[in-house]
C-alpha cells in the first residue's frame, strides 16, 4: 500500500488535495507515477453529476494523464518500470468480442464496471474507506494503478506535460475524424464546440485534407486558435444564426458535422446542418435525449456516435505523438495554462468559463 496526494471530490465544496492510500498492482496491473493530467470537460460532467447525487463520491477525477511506470504485476509484458506512458481511460482487454472484431474502444472487459461504477474493487482508499477513480484513471493524483491495457508506452523524447493531451482530447478529436468518420480529402466539415476536443477535430480535419472547416462556438475568444489549427470559417453561436450561416458558407452541401459540446440540442443542430447522405458525428458526452427531424433519415442522413475517436489506443496514441513530433499536429498551442495540482478548482473554473483551450495540472516535476 502506498500513501500519496490526490485531489478528492467529496461533494459540493471545492476539491481538496489530501493524503489517500493506493493498493499496489495485482498481477495484470501497472503502477504509474503521474507527471501531468489535463482537465477535460468530461471530468466537469462527472463532477456536476456527482455533486447532484447522480454519481457516487468520494472520487478522484482526471483521465488525460501521462507518467512513468513505477512497478508492474507478474503477468505484465508490454511495459516495464521506467517506461514513459500515456494512460487510456478505457483500458482494453484484447479478448472480448469487441476487441477481437477491431472495435476496442467499446471493449466490454468484464471487470470494467466493477472498477468505475460501484467500486467493487477500488484501488484507492481515503482513511480506509473506498475512493473511486472518476473516469477509470484517477489522474489528479500522484500515482494510479491501471490494467495493462490502459497503459500505453510512448517514446521518451517528448514532454509528458504536453503529450498527456493525447490521453483524451487529441485521440478523441482527431480519431473522430479519421477513424470514426473516415472523411475524404476535399470534403466540407463543421465542428460544434471549439474546446480541447473540438480544436482537435479541427486539426484532424485539416490533417485529413478537408476543404472547408467551419468552427462554431459561443465564445469568440476560441476563434484565433481555431483559425491557427485549420478552421476556414467561424460562427459565433451567441450572436449568429448557426444553421443559416452554415447553409450560406457551404451552399447547403455540408458533408460532415462533428458535435463536441455534449448537448442534445447541438447534436440535433449537427444533424440538421449536413447535406442529404451526410454524416453527423456525436463526439461530446451527451446524457440528454436527442431528438431528430425524421425527414433527415429519409434523405439518408447518418448520425453516428464516436467513443474515444473509435481509436485502437495501443496503435493510435504513439501514432498521434509521432504526428506531433513531425509538426503535423499542434499540442503546445492547445495548452493555455499549466497549474500545480493544488489549483485544481481554479482550473475547473477556467474550463467552465471557456477561458482556456486546455489546462494541464502538474503533479510531479519531470
Ligand atoms: N454552442 C456552441 N458552442 C458551445 C455551446 C453551444 N450551445 N455550448 C458550449 N459551447 C462551447 C464552449 O464555449 C467550449 O468552447 O463548447 C466548447 C466545449 O469545450 P470544453 O469545455 O473545453 O470541452 P471539451 O473538453 O472539449 O469536451 C467537449 O467532449 O469529451 C467530451 O465530455 C466532453 O462533452 C464534452 C465534449
Ligand atoms: Zn476527456
Ligand atoms: Zn475487450
Amino acid at each position: 500500500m502506498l500513501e500519496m496526494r490526490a485531489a478528492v471530490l467529496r461533494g459540493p465544496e471545492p476539491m481538496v488535495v489530501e493524503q489517500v492510500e493506493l493498493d499496489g498492482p495485482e498481477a495484470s496491473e501497472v503502477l504509474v507515477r503521474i507527471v501531468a493530467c489535463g482537465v477535460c470537460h468530461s471530468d466537469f460532467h462527472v463532477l456536476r453529476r456527482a455533486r447532484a447525487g447522480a454519481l457516487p463520491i468520494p472520487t478522484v477525477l482526471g483521465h488525460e494523464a501521462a507518467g512513468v511506470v513505477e512497478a508492474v504485476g507478474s503477468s505484465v509484458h508490454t511495459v516495464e518500470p521506467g517506461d514513459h506512458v500515456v494512460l487510456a481511460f478505457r483500458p482494453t482487454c484484447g479478448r472480448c468480442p469487441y476487441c477481437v472484431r477491431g472495435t476496442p474502444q467499446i471493449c466490454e472487459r468484464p471487470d470494467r464496471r466493477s472498477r468505475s461504477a460501484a467500486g467493487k474493487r477500488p484501488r484507492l482508499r481515503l482513511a480506509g474507506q473506498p475512493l473511486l477513480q472518476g473516469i477509470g484513471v484517477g489522474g489528479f493524483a500522484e500515482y494510479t494503478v491501471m490494467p495493462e491495457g490502459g497503459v500505453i508506452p510512448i517514446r521518451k523524447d517528448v514532454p509528458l506535460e504536453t503529450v498527456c493531451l493525447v490521453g483524451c482530447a487529441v485521440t478523441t478529436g482527431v480519431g473522430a475524424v479519421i477513424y470514426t468518420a473516415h472523411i475524404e480529402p476535399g470534403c466540407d466539415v463543421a465542428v460544434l464546440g471549439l474546446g480541447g476536443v473540438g480544436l482537435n477535430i479541427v486539426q484532424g480535419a485539416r490533417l485529413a485534407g478537408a476543404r472547408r472547416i467551419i468552427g462554431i462556438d459561443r465564445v469568440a475568444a476560441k476563434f484565433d486558435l481555431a483559425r491557427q489549427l485549420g478552421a476556414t470559417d467561424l460562427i459565433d453561436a451567441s450572436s449568429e444564426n448557426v444553421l443559416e450561416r452554415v447553409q450560406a458558407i457551404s451552399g447547403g452541401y455540408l458533408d460532415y458535422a462533428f458535435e463536441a459540446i455534449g448537448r442534445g440540442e447541438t447534436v440535433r443542430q449537427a444533424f440538421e446542418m449536413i447535406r442529404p447522405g451526410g454524416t453527423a458525428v456525436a463526439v461530446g458526452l451527451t446524457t440528454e435525449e436527442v431528438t431528430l427531424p425524421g425527414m433527415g433519415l429519409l434523405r439518408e442522413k447518418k448520425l453516428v456516435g464516436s467513443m474515444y475517436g473509435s481509436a485502437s489506443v495501443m496503435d493510435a496514441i504513439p501514432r498521434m505523438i509521432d504526428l506531433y513530433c513531425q509538426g503535423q499536429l499542434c499540442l503546445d498551442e492547445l495548452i493555455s495554462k499549466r497549474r500545480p495540482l493544488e489549483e485544481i478548482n481554479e482550473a475547473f473554473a477556467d474550463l467552465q468559463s471557456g477561458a482556456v483551450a486546455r489546462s494541464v495540472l502538474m503533479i510531479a516535476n519531470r
Side-chain angles (χ1 to χ4, degrees):
M1 193 198 72
L2 187 88
E3 294 238 338
M4 63 161 183
R5 288 159 55 243
V8 180
L9 173 71
R10 289 166 178 271
E13 65 279 12
M15 286 171 273
V16 177
V17 177
E18 50 192 306
Q19 286 295 117
V20 306
E21 299 118 43
L22 179 68
D23 289 332
E26 288 174 6
S28 61
E29 293 178 330
V30 180
L31 173 68
V32 177
R33 183 166 60 79
I34 296 171
V35 169
C37 186
V39 179
C40 172
H41 210 104
S42 300
D43 293 308
F44 184 65
H45 187 82
V46 172
L47 172 135
R48 231 182 15 222
R49 303 226 320 145
R51 283 181 174 163
L55 290 173
I57 45 174
T59 184
V60 175
L61 303 174
H63 64 278
E64 196 173 73
V68 180
V69 173
E70 193 81 10
V72 300
S74 56
S75 71
V76 169
H77 299 299
T78 51
V79 287
E80 58 184 29
D83 280 353
H84 287 200
V85 294
V86 165
L87 301 179
F89 61 86
R90 282 189 71 89
T92 56
C93 73
R95 281 196 294 267
C96 73
Y98 297 100
C99 280
V100 298
R101 285 175 164 185
T103 53
Q105 72 277 13
I106 47 173
C107 168
E108 284 238 309
R109 49 181 305 133
D111 63 335
R112 173 183 313 291
R113 280 179 217 93
S114 60
R115 277 184 68 81
S116 54
K120 277 181 219 138
R121 204 166 60 87
R123 318 300 290 140
L124 281 172
R125 271 171 289 117
L126 179 64
Q129 297 303 307
L131 178 59
L132 303 171
Q133 291 175 316
I135 306 180
V137 175
F140 298 142
E142 287 179 298
Y143 293 88
T144 188
V145 167
M146 296 277 296
E148 184 176 10
V151 182
I152 318 299
I154 59 160
R155 55 199 281 176
K156 282 191 172 169
D157 61 347
V158 289
L160 293 166
E161 61 268 32
T162 303
V163 296
C164 58
L165 294 199
V166 182
C168 180
V170 177
T171 302
T172 301
V174 176
V177 176
I178 63 178
Y179 301 129
T180 309
H182 301 283
I183 74 166
E184 315 77 36
C187 69
D188 294 338
V189 315
V191 182
L192 294 95
L194 300 171
V197 174
L199 289 168
N200 277 292
I201 297 173
V202 168
Q203 64 172 338
R206 190 205 64 227
L207 190 69
R211 176 176 59 172
R212 283 204 192 88
I213 303 174
I214 307 170
I216 305 163
D217 204 292
R218 60 179 183 195
V219 178
K222 307 273 175 165
F223 291 172
D224 279 346
L225 187 51
R227 210 175 274 117
Q228 198 185 324
L229 296 176
T232 56
D233 303 85
L234 291 149
I235 302 175
D236 185 342
S238 71
S239 59
E240 301 181 82
N241 182 315
V242 172
L243 291 179
E244 276 177 24
R245 284 272 287 130
V246 171
Q247 173 85 15
I249 295 167
S250 68
Y253 205 78
L254 183 75
D255 302 294
Y256 297 92
F258 295 85
E259 200 273 1
I261 298 165
R263 302 278 312 274
E265 179 189 319
T266 39
V267 172
R268 180 188 171 106
Q269 255 185 2
F271 188 81
E272 285 179 323
M273 67 176 65
I274 52 175
R275 64 169 170 83
T279 304
V281 185
V283 183
L285 194 171
T286 306
T287 49
E288 297 167 358
E289 294 231 325
V290 178
T291 59
L292 301 174
M295 280 307 284
L297 300 169
L298 286 176
R299 300 281 177 273
E300 298 206 347
K301 289 189 181 191
K302 292 174 277 293
L303 171 63
V304 300
S306 178
M307 163 53 87
Y308 220 155
S310 308
S312 296
V313 283
M314 280 289 172
D315 172 73
I317 285 178
R319 204 177 276 275
M320 302 279 170
I321 293 174
D322 284 346
L323 289 171
Y324 162 66
C325 293
Q326 292 174 349
Q328 300 204 61
L329 281 182
C330 303
L331 301 190
D332 301 280
E333 293 78 353
L334 290 171
I335 301 173
S336 321
K337 216 173 239 178
R338 290 196 178 84
R339 293 175 176 275
L341 182 58
E342 284 68 21
E343 293 179 14
I344 185 167
N345 297 296
E346 287 83 350
F348 272 77
D350 281 348
L351 179 87
Q352 208 179 343
S353 71
V356 290
R358 224 11 159 219
S359 300
V360 167
L361 294 177
M362 296 299 300
I363 318 255
N365 290 321
R366 193 191 150 106

